[in-house]
Each structure stands twice: as structure tokens, then as C-alpha cells.
Amino acid sequence: MKLLLILCVVLYGLSMLFILLYSLAQAHLLYRFRLFLRQKRPTLPAPKVWPLVTVQLPVYNEKYVVERLIDAVAALDYPADKLEIQLLDDSDDETTALIQQKVQQYLHLNLQHIQRQDRSGFKAGALKYGLELAKGEFIAIFDADFVPDPLFLKKTIPYFADAKLGMVQTRWAHLNKEYSVLTRLQALALDAHFFVEQVGRNSQQAFINFNGTGGVWRKTTILDAGNWQDDTLTEDLDLSYRAQLKGWQFLYLPEVESRAELPPVMSALKSQQFRWTKGGAESAVKHLGTVLRSEKPLQTKYHALAHLLNSSVFVAVLVASLASVPLLWAKVHYLLPVQAFQAAAVMLFSFIVISLVYFQADAFGKASGRGSFLLYFPLFLSMSMGLALHNAVAVWEGWTGRKSPFIRTPKFNLEGRQQRWQDNFYRSLKIPFTTYLEGLLGLLFLGVAAWGVVQKEYSLLIFHSMLALGYLLVFYYSFQSYRRI
């Protein structure tokens, strides 16, 4: 029993220490973001001759949004003779027919409908295949659910006058953040990344990442860095690190918006989260050693460490939450010294930092709307905790090298609350086993919180209550979102 308690203390302590170290990096990014706000980016003149740009649109079974995407890209304000549009279509449903019909409306544009024999390499394979055919000096990429600003290219291309610049990333904005509570919470999370984290890293020349869409690459940079590779589920993060390790510079433009759809249902969100977290873990395994051995400054390495391991926070949350249950029991029965629990108060710093990061992001992105941050932020934290099991499984698969296919996030084309998601053909059929475990964990932490109240031990009450709420909400939204036949 004593050895088990010691193990729980060690696991809990290491998990909370990891979260603390991660929050220190977040605090510095917040500081750098605040400094950036005092600066004014100079306006660059348009080039005398606009370069040839290839816009790549990787598509796989996107019948709900592909027509909107084509219309938006066709509306780009850029010289038509300098614009090449590649519809990289891997679809095996009616999306292909919709594309063929839509292309006929834009015969005045160089709009190419490109199909491969197979989906080898998934999105990375499609981008690589298209790159072999691309004539553009620069490559702009948009996922199927994006609606680019007509001035997107004119706002980004001038920065490539710097010959060392390899990639320009723009900020994601949200087409449907007001659709539901779930979309508001996602907007809050993404705004923290696209305001505080990306700005904070880029302002100090630390590693940032191309976010897979809403950005422009110099074609030479992609080729010099080894081209698109499909050995991780986040081909964008992987290529970003390879390019920056090669010496290419990246630029992030928070003032340029690229609007996109947020997953309106939990099953779609989980699909996206699994790919991002597992791919992040795979990229960490692939690049962390190289980064730490590089000649980059220590501060840059620290931020790269936090960046590549940010998905591992879910593992830390899961381990800490499970270890906290026997620790609460031990405290009630006076089996551990009080000092062991007093030391945990230091972790309050982590909560304060994370709160400030999201508060700052919310102030700019207005994700919660109408000054409702105090309502949405605790709910966001709870839901994030409730996703710990699902995402920890993804991280573990990434760490251990277990391979899985690239599962696209279903798109819905829902912007108004009156629109329905229930009829979407792409919703998943099968309810994963982990969904039932999430429901059981919700009941477990609800029972632990109630037991703590009965024992008049309130030190972990908020933590366990948030875990209970988070897991039960994730279970509920997950169960209702899977398409059952």
C-alpha cells in the first residue's frame, strides 16, 4: 500500500511539474505577445510584377463545402495569368461530379481538376503530387472548409521579397463560432494558438508551424526541406520543422484572416483532435532530438520543446487525475504528510497563466462573445480535461510509433443555428470504446467529488468536479453525434 501511494505521489508530482514547465513557456509567449502589440508592422509595397502562384486545394469527399471553396478561390483578387488553381481531388463519392460541374463556371481561370490513381500518402501525398505539376513560384494551400479573403494573395505575397522567407501563415477566423457552445469553446482554444502562441513564438524567431491551410510556401523551401512526407499525421508541422532547421524563416500575419468552419459535433472534433495530437507526438519523436542538438539558442529550444510536446499535456492531465483519487483517500486517512499537498499549491501558478493566455486571446478573438469569458472559460477547461483520455490515447500511439490512416474531419457547411448537422452523410457510424470509458470516468470523478464533500475534504473538490463535468459532457456530446443505423 505504501509503495502504491508513493508511486501515485511521484506520478502526480511529475505530471503537475510538466504542466508547470509548459505554463512557464506560455507565460513567456504571453509576454512576447504583449510586446508585439506595441509594434507596428510596416506596409510593404506591391511587387512590380506579381509572381506566378499555385493555389492547392486538397479535397477528399467534401460534397457539402467544395462548391463554396471553389467560388471563394475563384474570387481571389490576383492577375488571372499569374494564378494556377489545383483541385487535388482524391474523392470517391459525388464530390468529383460537383467539382466537374463547378469548374465549367470558371473556364476563364487556370483551374485544374487533378485526380490520382490512389490516395497513397493521403493529404501529404496529394500535395506532393500536385507540387510536381505546379508551375507557381509560390504555393498557397487551403483546406476544403476554408473561405479565403479575396485579397489573401495580395496581402501575403509582398513579404516574399525577403529571399530568406520560406512560408507565410495567416490567422484562422471562424465562420460558425456562434453555432453552439461547442463551437464557441473551440474558437476560444484556437484563438489562444493563433493570437498568443503563434505571435509570441514568431516575434522571437522561435519555431512556428504552418497550420496546414491558410498559408503560402515558397516552392523552393518545400523542396529544399525534403518535400511533403506522410510518416506523421501532421505533415504541416513536420515540414515546418524541417524547413526551419534548414535555416528558412517563417512569418506569421495575425492581421490577415482566413475564415474556416469549426466542427459542430463532438465526433468530428474528436477526429480532428486525434489527428492533431497523435501527429504532434509523432513529430516530437521525429524532430525533438535534432532540435535539441542544433545550434539554436537555449530559449528557442525550450519553446520548441513546449511546442512539440504540447499534446502531451493531455497525458499529464490524465495521469494526474487518476493519481489524485488515491491521494485524496490517503489525505483523508492521514497517510501522507500535509507538506506533500501544500507543495501542490505551487501549481496554482499554472492555472493563473493559462487563464491569462485565454483571457487575452478572448479579448481579441471575442470567442465567448458578450463578455461571457467567466462562463465559457471554466467550461472550456472542463471539456479539455474531458478529452484527456481520448487525446492521451492518440499521444501514446504517436510516441510508440503505431501507424493509423489519415482520417479527415467531416465538414458540414453550417453557419446558422437553424441548420441541422444530424443529416450529414460523413458522420462516423461506430461509437468508440473510449466513449464509454469517458462516461465511466465522469461517474467516477462525480462520486469522488461527492465522497470528498462527505469527508469534509475540499482540497481537490474543484479539480474532481471539473473532471466529472468534462467527461460527462464529452460522453454526452459524443454519444449524440455518432450516426447510428
Side-chain angles (χ1 to χ4, degrees), residues 266-288:
M266 184 60 74
S267 58
L269 173 61
K270 279 185 167 181
S271 173
Q272 184 184 73
Q273 287 283 307
F274 191 90
R275 189 175 70 251
W276 287 356
T277 51
K278 180 175 180 177
E282 290 173 329
S283 294
V285 171
K286 185 174 181 178
H287 295 296
L288 202 51

Side-chain angles (χ1 to χ4, degrees), residues 169-350:
Q169 174 66 51
T170 64
R171 176 172 59 85
W172 292 8
H174 319 297
L175 290 168
N176 61 333
K177 72 178 180 182
E178 296 184 1
Y179 182 78
S180 67
V181 171
L182 190 61
T183 54
R184 284 185 181 273
L185 297 182
Q186 291 176 73
L188 182 61
L190 288 171
D191 286 347
H193 172 70
F194 282 100
F195 280 111
V196 178
E197 293 180 347
Q198 287 285 62
V199 169
R201 293 187 184 113
N202 197 219
S203 66
Q204 57 183 309
Q205 297 303 307
F207 289 91
I208 67 167
N209 60 296
F210 169 60
N211 292 106
T213 175
V216 185
W217 284 86
R218 191 186 296 272
K219 183 179 180 180
T220 306
T221 303
I222 299 176
L223 297 175
D224 182 55
N227 214 322
W228 297 103
Q229 297 175 8
D230 62 356
D231 55 346
T232 75
L233 290 181
T234 46
E235 72 292 324
D236 45 10
L237 178 62
D238 169 38
L239 180 60
S240 297
Y241 267 78
R242 284 189 278 119
Q244 289 169 102
L245 285 167
K246 276 275 192 175
W248 289 98
Q249 296 177 4
F250 283 12
L251 178 65
Y252 177 63
L253 300 176
E255 64 271 22
V256 181
E257 291 186 352
S258 294
R259 296 182 300 154
E261 175 184 311
L262 296 163
V265 297
M266 184 60 74
S267 58
L269 173 61
K270 279 185 167 181
S271 173
Q272 184 184 73
Q273 287 283 307
F274 191 90
R275 189 175 70 251
W276 287 356
T277 51
K278 180 175 180 177
E282 290 173 329
S283 294
V285 171
K286 185 174 181 178
H287 295 296
L288 202 51
T290 306
V291 171
L292 295 177
R293 289 190 298 269
S294 71
E295 297 181 355
K296 297 289 185 180
L298 182 61
Q299 182 172 293
T300 300
K301 293 180 180 180
Y302 182 66
H303 279 291
L305 189 72
H307 187 195
L308 288 170
L309 293 178
N310 62 2
S311 60
S312 302
V313 170
F314 291 104
V315 177
V317 170
L318 178 63
V319 171
S321 63
L322 293 176
S324 70
V325 176
L327 291 184
L328 180 65
W329 178 84
K331 186 177 183 183
V332 169
H333 293 87
Y334 305 101
L335 297 178
L336 289 173
V338 177
Q339 290 78 5
F341 296 94
Q342 291 175 340
V346 177
M347 304 307 168
L348 181 63
F349 174 80
S350 301

Side-chain angles (χ1 to χ4, degrees), residues 22 26 181-193 197 262 266 269 273 276 313-314 317 350-351 353-359 361-362 367-368 372-388 391 466-467 469-471 473-474 477:
Y22 175 77
Q26 293 293 99
V181 171
L182 190 61
T183 54
R184 284 185 181 273
L185 297 182
Q186 291 176 73
L188 182 61
L190 288 171
D191 286 347
H193 172 70
E197 293 180 347
L262 296 163
M266 184 60 74
L269 173 61
Q273 287 283 307
W276 287 356
V313 170
F314 291 104
V317 170
S350 301
F351 174 77
V353 168
I354 299 301
S355 300
L356 290 174
V357 167
Y358 283 96
F359 177 77
D362 184 68
S368 63
S372 302
F373 178 78
L374 292 178
L375 170 63
Y376 282 98
F377 181 63
L379 190 58
F380 164 76
L381 282 183
S382 297
M383 291 278 279
S384 298
M385 292 178 181
L387 284 168
N391 288 349
M466 293 179 71
L467 285 165
L469 176 63
Y471 276 115
L473 284 175
V474 168
Y477 281 122

Side-chain angles (χ1 to χ4, degrees), residues 22 44 86 138 148 155 183 228 247 291 352 370 414:
Y22 175 77
L44 297 184
Q86 292 183 337
F138 301 100
K155 290 178 179 179
T183 54
W228 297 103
V291 171
I352 294 174
R370 301 186 183 90
L414 300 179

